[in-house]
């Protein structure tokens, strides 16, 4: 997704025939449940920024398909995550989507069982307790939490592997020169897309649609206007190997500096970027299945996904700025451009979804430019296969 491959890299495109996933993978209830079990309920998922829960006793609730999770900052400043479910008879604990606790206890609204902010059951108001009942046996259902550069990730697996950092795609760009930890949210957009979550990622993974769907973006990033994402997507790339014109290099059009309506920056730029990072125009990092982040010279943008159903996905985009830049930047010019691109993508994803119900459509076929869809499909297939054979690793 980023044009930073070395000149020696071979052609990126697919040269053999690959079918897509079967269409039922995008609308069937059972296929959706398998996606949840194999992927969403055992991956590191970005849920918010650390700064969204900045103060002790602040909390947020987040929904991942049918699962509701509360993320809070305890009195010591540590972040914790729990299922939003009481251990007594399963009542929901928090009804609000965000707020601040009034006490250092979580008290269930139903029969007032109370839990410490570490999740331990500390108070049961019954007059007497049944024989054998031990409060230590009924802590809140704890959820694994991992921090990555100012972002909070959770994992619904009881014993997840690795950490949020390990969830980033190995092809991700290096964002270490962007001061991600300190950035603040300048604008947030939340949208429900009527498509399966995989449709969004497929669309993200190719630019074959760019000339038709993103006219303005294709003018800003001329290689996109050729239906390509990077120099090595062109079978003829070697003929243009030394040509640094934007339509070959993947840089922004001549004179443009960032992704905004007019292509210009409207406030301070990040001081720590290298000349190559400033010239690149956009640097992407992806953590499947929940988010991608893109760095520009003056701001960063994240897109977070959460499945709502087989054919419904919630998208939350945030535009992140340096705190001192926010007051000095005309963010409208920036937000308008990114919103347009996202709306164009969401609309075409919904169109894709609608066509997948044909009884005659057994599978689609990938074109060479869709090499990253093949990687994505392989990743989905591997995750499903791993769920079917949980002991495969230990048996080896
Ligand atoms: S369900 Fe929570 S105290 Fe009864
Ligand atoms: Fe797009």
């Amino acid at each position: 997704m980023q044009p930073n491959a070395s000149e020696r890299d071979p052609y990126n495109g697919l040269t053999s025939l690959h079918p897509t996933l079967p269409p039922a993978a995008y609308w069937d209830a059972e296929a959706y449940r398998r996606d949840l079990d194999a992927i969403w309920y055992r991956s590191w998922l970005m849920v918010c920024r650390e700064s969204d829960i900045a103060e002790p006793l602040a909390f947020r609730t987040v929904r991942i398909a049918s699962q509701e999770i509360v993320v809070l900052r305890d009195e010591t400043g540590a972040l914790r995550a729990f299922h939003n479910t009481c251990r007594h008879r399963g009542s929901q604990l928090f009804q609000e989507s965000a707020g601040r606790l009034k006490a250092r206890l979580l008290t269930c609204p139903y029969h007032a069982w109370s839990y410490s902010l570490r999740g331990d059951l500390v108070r049961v108001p019954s007059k007497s307790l049944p024989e054998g009942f031990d409060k230590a046996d009924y802590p809140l259902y704890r959820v694994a939490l991992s921090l990555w550069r100012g972002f909070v990730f959770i994992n619904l697996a009881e014993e997840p592997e690795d950490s949020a950092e390990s969830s980033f795609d190995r092809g991700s760009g290096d964002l270490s020169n962007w001061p991600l930890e300190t950035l603040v949210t300048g604008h947030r957009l939340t949208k429900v897309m009527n498509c399966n979550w995989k449709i969004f990622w497929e669309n993200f993974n190719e630019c074959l649609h760019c000339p038709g769907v993103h006219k303005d973006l294709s003018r800003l990033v001329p290689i996109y206007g050729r239906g390509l994402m990077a120099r090595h997507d062109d079978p003829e790339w070697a003929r243009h190997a030394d040509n640094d014109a934007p339509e070959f290099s993947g840089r922004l059009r001549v004179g443009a500096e960032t992704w905004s309506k007019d292509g210009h920056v409207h406030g301070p730029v990040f001081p720590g970027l290298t000349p190559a990072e400033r010239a690149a125009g956009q640097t992407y990092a992806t953590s499947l299945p929940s988010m991608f982040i893109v760095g520009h010279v003056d701001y960063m943008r994240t897109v977070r996904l959460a499945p709502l159903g087989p054919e419904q996905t919630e998208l939350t985009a945030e535009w992140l700025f340096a705190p001192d830049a926010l007051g000095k930047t005309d963010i409208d010019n920036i937000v308008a451009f990114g919103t347009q691109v996202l709306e164009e993508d969401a609309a075409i994803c919904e169109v894709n979804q609608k066509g997948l119900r044909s009884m005659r459509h057994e599978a689609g076929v990938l074109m060479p430019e869709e090499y990253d869809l093949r990687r994505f499909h392989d990743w989905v297939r591997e995750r499903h296969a791993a769920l079917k054979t949980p002991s495969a690793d230990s048996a080896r």
Side-chain angles (χ1 to χ4, degrees):
M1 271 143 274
Q2 46 284 326
N4 52 8
S6 97
E7 296 298 340
R8 288 191 304 278
D9 280 353
Y11 171 51
N12 284 337
L14 297 174
T15 51
S16 51
L17 206 56
H18 297 278
T20 62
L21 299 175
Y26 305 93
W27 45 257
D28 177 65
E30 180 58 22
Y32 174 66
R33 196 191 58 72
R34 283 198 301 268
D35 275 356
L36 297 181
D37 288 344
I39 296 171
W40 286 91
Y41 292 165
R42 57 188 59 227
S43 297
W44 287 103
L45 309 174
M46 193 268 273
V47 290
C48 63
R49 299 275 295 159
E50 278 185 69
S51 55
D52 294 330
I53 326 173
E55 303 295 327
L57 276 54
F59 71 86
R60 281 207 161 203
T61 53
V62 294
R63 176 175 284 281
I64 310 296
S66 63
Q67 301 302 297
E68 221 179 78
I69 309 300
V70 57
V71 186
L72 62 82
R73 195 176 288 275
D74 74 14
E75 62 272 38
T76 71
L79 287 167
R80 301 185 182 279
F82 309 103
H83 283 265
N84 192 15
T85 296
C86 178
R87 290 298 305 270
H88 174 214
R89 272 174 41 218
S91 168
Q92 187 188 45
L93 292 167
F94 290 79
Q95 285 75 59
E96 305 87 356
S97 59
R100 186 126 188 245
L101 293 164
K102 291 176 188 65
R104 294 177 175 194
L105 281 183
L106 307 179
T107 300
C108 177
Y110 201 176
H111 316 97
W113 280 29
S114 294
Y115 303 85
S116 75
L117 302 191
R118 302 170 65 92
D120 297 320
L121 177 61
V122 293
R123 189 171 155 265
V124 174
S126 292
K127 304 283 175 291
S128 67
L129 298 173
E131 200 174 328
F133 177 85
D134 184 347
K135 287 205 279 284
D137 293 336
Y138 299 93
L140 291 180
Y141 300 110
R142 295 186 168 100
V143 172
L145 187 147
S146 174
L147 303 177
W148 178 81
R149 303 206 59 199
F151 290 94
V152 180
F153 283 70
I154 61 163
N155 192 319
L156 297 176
E158 285 187 41
E159 290 180 21
E161 291 166 10
D162 306 322
S163 62
E165 182 157 14
S166 66
S167 70
F168 278 82
D169 187 282
R170 59 189 156 78
S172 288
D174 180 1
L175 295 172
S176 49
N177 286 335
W178 274 265
L180 244 180
E181 293 81 351
T182 60
L183 302 185
V184 293
T185 302
H187 184 74
R188 180 178 291 133
L189 166 85
T190 300
K191 184 177 176 61
V192 174
M193 301 183 292
N194 291 313
C195 68
N196 182 269
W197 67 277
K198 298 190 292 298
I199 292 286
F200 177 88
W201 281 118
E202 292 182 357
N203 178 71
F204 173 81
N205 276 315
E206 51 92 354
C207 222
L208 205 48
H209 69 278
C210 293
V213 170
H214 304 301
K215 297 267 193 288
D216 290 341
L217 176 60
S218 291
R219 272 191 284 274
L220 180 69
V221 189
I223 201 168
Y224 292 177
R226 297 173 61 218
L228 308 175
M229 296 186 291
R231 184 188 288 280
H232 293 250
D233 296 4
D234 179 355
E236 304 279 302
W237 70 269
R239 283 180 44 209
H240 311 286
D242 298 324
N243 191 334
D244 267 338
E247 59 267 42
F248 299 109
S249 68
R251 295 178 178 183
L252 306 184
R253 69 171 161 73
V254 174
E257 301 158 290
T258 193
W259 283 36
S260 62
K261 272 281 187 200
D262 59 8
H264 296 302
V265 300
H266 292 272
V269 301
F270 296 122
L273 305 183
T274 65
E277 286 165 344
R278 282 200 297 274
Q282 57 279 320
T283 301
Y284 284 92
T286 306
S287 169
L288 288 177
S290 75
M291 67 96 87
F292 76 83
I293 179 164
V294 54
H296 303 292
V297 294
D298 52 343
Y299 73 99
M300 304 187 83
R301 184 165 51 90
T302 61
V303 170
R304 177 175 102 83
L305 297 187
L308 299 178
E311 299 184 87
Q312 233 176 30
T313 305
E314 184 184 64
L315 175 153
T316 306
E318 296 199 33
W319 283 255
L320 305 174
F321 297 84
D324 60 338
L326 201 50
K328 302 179 198 152
T329 304
D330 169 17
I331 73 167
D332 293 350
N333 202 289
I334 288 166
V335 168
F337 187 76
T339 301
Q340 177 188 334
V341 174
L342 280 174
E343 294 285 0
E344 289 165 350
D345 278 324
I348 203 67
C349 284
E350 293 185 350
V351 169
N352 190 167
Q353 183 75 34
K354 282 181 181 162
L356 290 167
R357 289 282 189 161
S358 165
M359 65 171 75
R360 299 285 297 277
H361 189 61
E362 290 175 9
V365 58
L366 298 180
M367 290 294 102
E369 296 89 339
E370 294 166 317
Y371 58 92
D372 263 346
L373 269 80
R374 186 193 170 207
R375 281 186 58 214
F376 173 67
H377 291 160
D378 284 348
W379 177 82
V380 170
R381 290 182 186 110
E382 279 163 22
R383 298 296 298 261
H384 281 258
L387 188 66
K388 272 187 221 132
T389 53
S391 59
D393 282 342
S394 51
R396 250 181 254 137

